[in-house]
Amino acid sequence: MKKISIIIPAYNEEESLPLLYERIEKLMKNMENYEFEILFVNDGSKDKTIEIIKQMREEDNRICYVDFSRNFGKEIAMIAGLDYATGDCVIFMDADLQDPPELIPELVKYWEEGYDDVYAKRKSRKGETWLKKFTSKMYYKVLQKLTRIEIQKDTGDFRLLDRRCVNALKKLRESQRNTKSMFSWIGYKKKEVLYDRDPRIAGTTKWNYIKLVDLAIDGITSFTTSPLRLSTLIAIPTFGVLFIYFIYVIAKCIIVHQMIQAYQAIILLILFFSGIQILLFGIVGEYLGRIFNETKHRPLYLVNEYNGKKEMNQ
Ligand code: UDP
Ligand code: MG
């Protein structure tokens, strides 16, 4: 019997969990010819999330959990899920039921047909502001322009991955993770399934615009080094202008014998070039920061306990 691991990162989700379990449970009943594992990654929740998970495990031993020593963020929770999942395929799902479990049979169907990465694409996004929709659309456009790798639009992390993809993703151990771009990067046979994204069932979103901007910048810099090329692109016309201006000034001196208004020119030039320098340093710093983080070679996360056992071998 094939085994499906459902990986659910959870951070302060005490209200959603019972409802979530109810819906998954119903689904598992209908898919009797598969073995299931529901793997929660408790990402340092401050509420009763872990207690509830432990309680649920007592009643249903298909429920497994990885309990982090603190909050490491959803991206890290996802790689931990991949590390601990034992299934032949895994399905990522949010704890807040924004990803309907009822779609799982369809994902599995395509997996059985031979697809390795069956991702759910949002048809609609209920309960999200037009601003969030608009910014996300623009972001995907820009990102796609910057890279050769094909990027899936309007997809979240809700997807099914074959064991091959799981093993591939486990090899990508960078610390500033942008899992979405990794799904694209690994390639393999992809299939999209459309669905309506529901509003979050309980609790509040853990995202805010600052976090989203963070994620967006991470997405671009982890995907491509084209922002580095930006510096060259800006530098070339700048030096062009400088050269022409230089010729102009010299020519004026020689031909018309006219002195330039030095202070104006100097102030403008200083502002102009210091502006460019700051921009360039910013871009270099962006990558330097990444190198710095990677060279530390820290473990991506620390586990407090796995399925009730204290984690010792870290
Ligand atoms: N999450 C997490 N760690 C965090 C933040 C969020 O594991 O630091 C989980 C959260 O419990 C949920 C999923 O990631 O299962 C998506 O979070 P949320 O619903 O807040 O994001 P949104 O759907 O608004 O993008
Ligand atoms: Mg959500």
Side-chain angles (χ1 to χ4, degrees):
M1 213 156 49
K2 284 183 183 168
K3 186 169 181 182
I4 301 173
S5 298
I6 303 179
I7 301 175
I8 308 173
Y11 175 55
N12 295 345
E13 298 284 4
E14 57 179 8
E15 291 159 86
S16 323
L17 290 184
L19 295 154
L20 174 72
Y21 177 64
E22 204 177 288
R23 298 238 320 247
I24 295 181
E25 149 93 296
K26 215 179 281 168
L27 174 103
M28 291 190 298
K29 260 194 204 130
N30 293 335
M31 299 177 71
E32 274 175 335
N33 34 3
Y34 291 98
E35 201 182 320
F36 278 93
E37 166 188 60
I38 311 173
L39 178 62
F40 286 101
V41 183
N42 177 42
D43 186 12
S45 300
K46 293 183 178 67
D47 62 0
K48 293 214 163 53
T49 301
I50 188 66
E51 282 85 357
I52 293 174
I53 294 171
K54 283 180 183 172
Q55 231 170 38
M56 295 193 321
R57 181 174 161 82
E58 257 160 44
E59 277 149 41
D60 186 342
N61 62 8
R62 287 174 296 182
I63 292 178
C64 301
Y65 64 87
V66 176
D67 183 31
F68 277 180
S69 63
R70 65 167 167 85
N71 178 264
F72 281 91
K74 187 188 177 187
E75 302 286 326
I76 301 290
M78 287 169 75
I79 179 74
L82 293 176
D83 288 341
Y84 281 85
T86 55
D88 298 300
C89 73
V90 306
I91 294 171
F92 280 118
M93 249 178 68
D94 282 359
D96 57 5
L97 280 170
Q98 282 195 286
D99 310 323
E102 290 72 29
L103 201 70
I104 290 178
E106 205 182 332
L107 301 181
V108 172
K109 189 188 93 191
Y110 286 115
W111 175 52
E112 291 288 7
E113 282 177 21
Y115 290 99
D116 299 303
D117 176 359
V118 190
Y119 60 93
K121 181 175 165 153
R122 296 184 281 255
K123 253 191 300 187
S124 66
R125 305 172 125 201
K126 287 178 211 155
E128 286 183 17
T129 61
W130 71 266
L131 188 64
K132 192 169 174 189
K133 286 184 220 172
F134 176 75
T135 44
S136 132
K137 194 172 156 196
M138 292 312 293
Y139 173 67
Y140 280 118
K141 260 207 177 128
V142 172
L143 191 57
Q144 185 64 81
K145 278 258 154 62
L146 289 174
T147 173
R148 272 183 305 151
I149 302 162
E150 199 179 318
I151 293 154
Q152 287 80 45
K153 268 195 251 45
D154 275 335
T155 60
D157 301 316
F158 185 26
R159 63 174 69 217
L160 180 150
L161 297 164
D162 184 69
R163 181 44 62 184
R164 294 209 283 171
C165 299
V166 174
N167 292 343
L169 287 167
K170 277 162 73 171
K171 287 187 190 139
L172 312 184
R173 310 290 311 176
E174 59 242 55
S175 53
Q176 271 176 328
R177 305 184 71 78
N178 185 270
T179 312
K180 221 170 277 182
S181 68
M182 293 177 177
F183 293 144
S184 303
W185 186 88
I186 58 166
Y188 291 116
K189 222 171 141 195
K190 296 190 188 307
K191 172 79 192 168
E192 93 179 22
V193 171
L194 291 174
Y195 81 112
D196 287 308
R197 188 158 168 90
D198 295 323
R200 152 183 273 287
I201 192 135
T204 50
T205 175
K206 278 92 205 171
W207 289 104
N208 53 43
Y209 266 96
I210 295 179
K211 270 197 191 176
L212 277 179
V213 169
D214 255 22
L215 193 72
I217 293 175
D218 271 0
I220 290 175
T221 49
S222 68
F223 234 129
T224 151
T225 47
S226 3
L228 275 175
R229 206 165 308 139
L230 189 69
S231 55
T232 326
L233 290 180
I234 293 173
I236 292 169
T238 308
F239 285 118
V241 170
L242 180 71
F243 183 69
I244 293 167
Y245 188 69
F246 182 73
I247 300 284
Y248 169 75
V249 170
I250 298 290
K252 227 176 177 183
C253 281
I254 296 170
I255 301 165
V256 205
H257 299 290
Q258 188 197 7
M259 295 298 284
I260 44 164
Q261 296 288 304
Y263 72 98
Q264 288 168 330
I266 289 169
I267 290 171
L268 279 171
L269 283 173
I270 288 175
L271 284 176
F272 190 54
F273 286 106
S274 58
I276 284 174
Q277 278 178 345
I278 290 166
L279 182 70
L280 298 191
F281 277 126
I283 293 170
V284 173
E286 186 77 34
Y287 287 93
L288 202 64
R290 304 185 79 83
I291 294 169
F292 173 68
N293 278 323
E294 295 310 327
T295 50
K296 283 194 283 192
H297 291 298
R298 294 206 180 158
L300 294 179
Y301 55 87
L302 292 172
V303 171
N304 178 33
E305 58 176 73
Y306 171 57
N307 288 346
K309 281 195 284 295
K310 277 222 167 71
E311 191 66 271
M312 303 297 246
N313 46 358
Q314 294 182 326

